[in-house]
């Protein structure tokens, strides 16, 4: 496993990828957990070469968000990655990614402005910009991303397609703790009571799926049942929506591919989760 710390080194490598080899890329912000590692594993199984990037992207954090406290542990991350068949770990600096007088931003209209985009203005502009830069630098064939960030995957798929990039996204399933909590680096902010409360997201999903399996298709009923679980756990609903999986537009009647997607504040921690309603 080789560490790459400069953009020049990364470009020199990626310009010479062999045409007959598949290059897999796993972009991360570090503080790796089993969710990230499942993406790394998928890449090593499907690709000849795997590159993981670790970069806490400042431009996707709002002014009042957790950029300064975002968990970091590079030593542990590298240790974890060394047990997989990772070929390269790309660790650019913020100064290299966003040099002085940086001016170019990627905006994926519409789909970036709903759900998390409405609550976190500018977030997907930061994500799309950094991912386009990373894809240009790494030049991968496949990019492995977790479905926990369902909207992120939808935004980035749109960007790759709209900008005619050859890289394709491989969406990978959400990895959960044994009690149902979707894995996230931000789970480290939870402890004791808030860790218990955080289960309300997966419980709300479970309830909606249960009602769906009993034949209920009216979104109002699903929404009411899911909201009750969040409120009963003293958590704060940012949004709960039932959407079309590609357009992310809300639906009124649930169908087999309808995605339930929610963001909830537990104490000071904002958590997200989602699932397809049909089991
Ligand atoms: O999902 C993440 O960790 C980040 O949004 C990503 C894709 C690495 C871009 O900074």
């Amino acid at each position: 496993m080789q560490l790459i710390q400069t953009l020049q080194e990364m470009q020199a490598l990626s310009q010479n990828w062999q045409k007959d080899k598949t290059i897999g890329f796993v972009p991360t912000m570090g503080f790796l957990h089993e969710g990230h590692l499942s993406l790394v594993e998928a890449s090593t199984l499907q690709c000849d070469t795997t590159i993981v990037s670790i970069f806490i992207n400042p431009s996707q954090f709002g002014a009042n968000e957790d950029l300064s406290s975002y968990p970091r542990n590079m030593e542990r991350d590298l240790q974890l990655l060394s047990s997989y068949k990772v070929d390269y770990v790309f660790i650019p600096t913020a100064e290299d990614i966003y040099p002085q007088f940086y001016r170019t931003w990627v905006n994926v209209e519409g789909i970036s402005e709903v759900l998390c985009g409405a609550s976190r203005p500018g977030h997907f502009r930061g994500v799309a910009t950094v991912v386009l830069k990373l894809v240009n630098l790494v030049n991968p064939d496949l990019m492995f991303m977790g479905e926990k960030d369902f909207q992120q995957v939808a935004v980035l798929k749109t960007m790759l397609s709209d900008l005619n990039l050859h890289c394709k996204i491989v969406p990978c399933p959400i990895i959960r703790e044994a009690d149902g909590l979707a894995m996230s680096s931000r789970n480290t902010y939870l402890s004791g009571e808030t860790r218990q409360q955080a289960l309300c997201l997966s419980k709300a999903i479970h309830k909606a799926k249960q009602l769906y399996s009993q034949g209920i298709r009216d979104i109002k009923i699903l929404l009411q049942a899911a909201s009750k679980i969040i409120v009963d756990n003293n958590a704060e609903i940012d949004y709960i929506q039932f959407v079309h999986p590609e357009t992310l537009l809300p639906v009124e009647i649930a169908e087999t591919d309808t995605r339930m997607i929610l963001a909830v504040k537990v104490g000071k921690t904002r958590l997200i989760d989602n699932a397809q309603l049909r089991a």
Side-chain angles (χ1 to χ4, degrees), residues 175-183 187 190 192 194-203 206 273:
I175 305 293
R176 296 180 181 277
E177 302 286 354
D179 61 7
L181 180 67
M183 290 202 186
N187 290 352
L190 305 169
T194 50
R195 174 65 183 74
Q196 272 309 110
Q197 278 174 284
L199 294 178
C200 66
L201 284 90
S202 54
K203 284 183 185 160
H206 179 76
D273 203 344

Side-chain angles (χ1 to χ4, degrees), residues 27-30 36 53 55-57 60 70 123 126-127 130-131 134 145 149 152 156:
T28 81
M29 298 208 297
H36 297 112
S53 67
F55 177 64
I56 301 182
N57 174 34
Q60 68 188 73
Y70 194 82
H123 170 67
V127 171
V130 82
V131 171
L134 292 170
M145 309 205 88
D149 297 301
Q152 171 169 278
L156 295 174

Side-chain angles (χ1 to χ4, degrees), residues 3 9 36 48 76 79 116 125 130 152 157 179 203-204 206 213 222 239 250 254 267 274-275:
L3 300 195
E9 248 182 302
H36 297 112
D48 299 301
R76 181 174 157 276
Q79 178 73 41
C116 284
R125 172 190 190 250
V130 82
Q152 171 169 278
K157 266 188 187 168
D179 61 7
K203 284 183 185 160
H206 179 76
S213 73
L222 302 179
Y239 64 78
N274 70 85

Side-chain angles (χ1 to χ4, degrees), residues 84-182:
Y84 291 80
K85 289 200 188 103
V86 173
D87 298 276
Y88 302 100
V89 185
F90 179 36
I91 315 173
T93 63
E95 292 71 30
D96 281 345
I97 295 288
Y98 299 111
Q100 211 187 357
F101 309 121
Y102 184 83
R103 287 171 193 282
T104 306
W105 299 97
V106 181
N107 210 16
V108 185
E109 292 181 2
I111 199 165
S112 288
E113 287 141 31
V114 295
L115 304 167
C116 284
S119 318
R120 304 181 68 190
H123 170 67
F124 288 115
R125 172 190 190 250
V127 171
T129 302
V130 82
V131 171
L132 178 61
K133 285 175 72 86
L134 292 170
V135 165
N136 280 336
L137 291 160
V138 173
N139 191 19
D141 300 299
L142 299 177
M143 178 158 65
F144 294 79
M145 309 205 88
E147 282 193 327
K148 182 177 152 274
D149 297 301
F150 194 78
Q151 186 176 10
Q152 171 169 278
V153 173
V155 167
L156 295 174
K157 266 188 187 168
T158 308
M159 176 190 80
L160 294 176
S161 157
D162 284 356
L163 298 181
N164 308 104
L165 294 161
H166 90 282
C167 173
K168 297 274 173 287
I169 293 187
V170 182
C172 299
I174 299 176
I175 305 293
R176 296 180 181 277
E177 302 286 354
D179 61 7
L181 180 67

